[in-house]
Amino acid sequence: MLRIAICDDDQAAVLAHKGIVEDCLKQCGSIGEIELYTDSDQLFYDIAEDQFFYDLILLDIEMPKCTGMEIAKKLKPYLPNVKIIFITSHIEYAIDAFELSIFRYVPKDAVEQRLFAAVQDAVKLLELEDGKAYRIQTNSRLEKIPFRDIYYIEREGKNARISAAGGVSKVRKSLQQVYEELGAEEFIYIDRGCIVNLIHIMQVKDGMAVLKNGKQLAISRSHLQEVKEQINLYWGTHI
């Protein structure tokens, strides 16, 4: 289920946008839970303090107290992967919106024509990612790391260290616990202390797994034959 928030200081606009989102979800055959806000401070409080999680947020830029631009900056550390659609009557904000990595920018005078398509594109992308991402929840943030972006995961003391396209993340769990939570055939042990996403393995050479990003990881002797078999089995099934 997708979690969506709509925030605009104009109650009528919030309800209008909600109707468009509901129509989009219905046409896409998707299930979503929609929360409505007319106060950007309340939206931030729910995410920062009560740890509400949202996949998609529709934000009006011109709001009192805390503008959409300001709230987007404040939310990113808590929801680094959230998709944000900005709705505004001022086109000059578009440049700043791109700098904030905003998913889409919709002018208020074209909401009827463009918001549906923007939401539809966001829903399609989210559903592609949904169920194929590892979630890390701490007291200060909720992070989703798409499976396809994960290169490998190593044990580091009492933590599991996840190396992905977007950088390194740590979670205070055992490597085996993370492996079980992933529950995906593309993740394999190459050593007691290392799990690799085999879609990133370019070759196995001299007892090393060579990844697409150039990283080389040692495969233990006890795992070498099994690793080769798992790679052959996986690619034989998926090609």
Side-chain angles (χ1 to χ4, degrees), residues 112-132:
E112 292 294 328
Q113 297 83 12
R114 295 176 60 177
L115 184 57
F116 185 95
V119 173
Q120 186 177 52
D121 288 346
V123 168
K124 287 179 180 178
L125 180 58
L126 285 164
E127 290 189 336
L128 266 178
E129 298 173 354
D130 188 45
K132 282 290 187 179

Side-chain angles (χ1 to χ4, degrees), residues 13-59:
V14 167
L15 294 175
H17 299 160
K18 178 175 183 279
I20 292 173
V21 171
E22 287 175 335
D23 289 345
C24 182
L25 291 172
K26 185 176 180 180
Q27 184 164 314
C28 291
S30 305
I31 299 174
E33 186 175 285
I34 305 170
E35 293 289 338
L36 306 180
Y37 295 88
T38 54
D39 186 330
S40 57
D41 285 345
Q42 185 60 52
L43 171 63
F44 179 70
Y45 180 88
D46 284 351
I47 292 170
E49 299 298 327
D50 290 340
Q51 297 185 31
F52 280 29
F53 177 82
Y54 291 113
D55 299 289
L56 173 64
I57 301 176
L58 278 63
L59 275 178

Side-chain angles (χ1 to χ4, degrees), residues 81 129 132-134 144-150 164 187 197:
N81 300 302
E129 298 173 354
K132 282 290 187 179
Y134 184 72
K144 285 201 305 185
I145 308 174
F147 282 6
R148 64 178 178 272
D149 289 350
I150 298 175
F187 293 97
N197 186 345

Side-chain angles (χ1 to χ4, degrees), residues 48-209:
E49 299 298 327
D50 290 340
Q51 297 185 31
F52 280 29
F53 177 82
Y54 291 113
D55 299 289
L56 173 64
I57 301 176
L58 278 63
L59 275 178
D60 179 26
I61 289 185
E62 300 92 22
M63 290 187 289
K65 292 194 284 188
C66 188
T67 69
M69 298 293 292
E70 292 167 339
I71 195 73
K73 289 178 183 177
K74 290 167 67 175
L75 292 180
K76 278 295 185 178
Y78 297 94
L79 299 175
N81 300 302
V82 69
K83 306 291 184 291
I84 294 177
I85 295 175
F86 268 158
I87 302 170
T88 182
S89 56
H90 295 283
I91 196 165
E92 64 268 21
Y93 284 122
I95 295 173
D96 291 329
F98 283 120
E99 290 176 356
L100 281 169
S101 300
I102 299 305
F103 178 74
R104 197 62 55 84
Y105 168 89
V106 176
K108 280 188 176 179
D109 60 5
V111 164
E112 292 294 328
Q113 297 83 12
R114 295 176 60 177
L115 184 57
F116 185 95
V119 173
Q120 186 177 52
D121 288 346
V123 168
K124 287 179 180 178
L125 180 58
L126 285 164
E127 290 189 336
L128 266 178
E129 298 173 354
D130 188 45
K132 282 290 187 179
Y134 184 72
R135 295 191 178 198
I136 299 175
Q137 182 170 0
T138 68
N139 291 331
S140 61
R141 81 184 199 283
L142 240 171
E143 180 180 357
K144 285 201 305 185
I145 308 174
F147 282 6
R148 64 178 178 272
D149 289 350
I150 298 175
Y151 297 128
Y152 59 95
I153 308 164
E154 296 175 296
R155 183 172 58 226
E156 188 177 84
K158 294 183 179 180
N159 298 317
R161 184 176 185 272
I162 303 171
S163 294
V168 175
S169 300
K170 293 182 182 179
V171 56
R172 196 165 183 77
K173 294 180 179 179
S174 70
L175 197 61
Q176 181 61 25
Q177 188 176 354
V178 172
Y179 176 74
E180 291 171 359
E181 288 174 348
L182 288 166
E185 60 182 337
E186 56 262 42
F187 293 97
I188 61 174
Y189 274 97
I190 64 168
D191 182 83
R192 270 193 332 184
C194 185
I195 296 166
V196 174
N197 186 345
L198 61 79
I199 69 170
H200 291 295
I201 297 178
M202 291 292 290
Q203 63 175 321
V204 173
K205 182 179 180 182
D206 300 327
M208 305 289 286

